[in-house]
Amino acid sequence: QVQLVESGGGLVQAGGSLRLSCAASGRTFSRYAMGWFRQAPGKEREFVAGITWSGTGIDYAESVKGRFTISRDNAQNTVFLQMNSLKPEETAVYYCASYIASWVTRLTSSVGSWGQGTQVTVSS
């Protein structure tokens, strides 16, 4: 089992930026894909971005391509999500995810462990 702790959420104006971090512990971090999902009130949890263990395989939701960047530091057991040009409709709780395998999918069923979530609020 892996433990995930997110940080970096907060309140930002539309068009602003935030950088989320996720520190992992409990198992060999570098062997598994990592990702970020988000869940807005009253909506299902949705995929945002994912990165393979090597960092060479990356996928983004269509809505965030060109604005968000996912990266990881295996030496520090940390994954990051840089979010630029944020929009009010992206207000949500953002969850760090550890996949059950080394590849990325957009499915919540492929996630083995979740962080507790960090609130991102984008004001208009």
Side-chain angles (χ1 to χ4, degrees), residues 19-97:
R19 189 187 195 214
L20 306 183
S21 298
C22 173
S25 62
R27 71 173 185 182
T28 306
F29 175 78
S30 62
R31 294 182 182 176
Y32 299 91
M34 298 292 295
W36 290 93
F37 290 70
R38 65 188 178 191
Q39 188 167 19
K43 295 188 177 181
E44 293 187 353
R45 193 168 298 189
E46 64 175 2
F47 172 80
V48 176
I51 185 168
T52 58
W53 69 271
S54 66
T56 57
I58 292 176
D59 188 26
Y60 294 102
E62 293 298 318
S63 61
V64 307
K65 282 183 179 178
R67 298 184 298 117
F68 289 15
T69 302
I70 188 171
S71 61
R72 65 189 293 166
D73 182 342
N74 288 340
Q76 298 296 323
N77 289 354
T78 305
V79 63
F80 305 96
L81 185 68
Q82 177 67 43
M83 305 185 294
N84 298 328
S85 302
L86 282 160
K87 305 174 182 180
E89 56 265 36
E90 293 179 311
T91 293
V93 177
Y94 283 70
Y95 294 91
C96 180

Side-chain angles (χ1 to χ4, degrees), residues 6-11 18-21 83 118-121:
E6 301 100 332
S7 60
L11 174 64
L18 282 174
R19 189 187 195 214
L20 306 183
S21 298
M83 305 185 294
T118 185
Q119 178 70 45
V120 171
T121 302

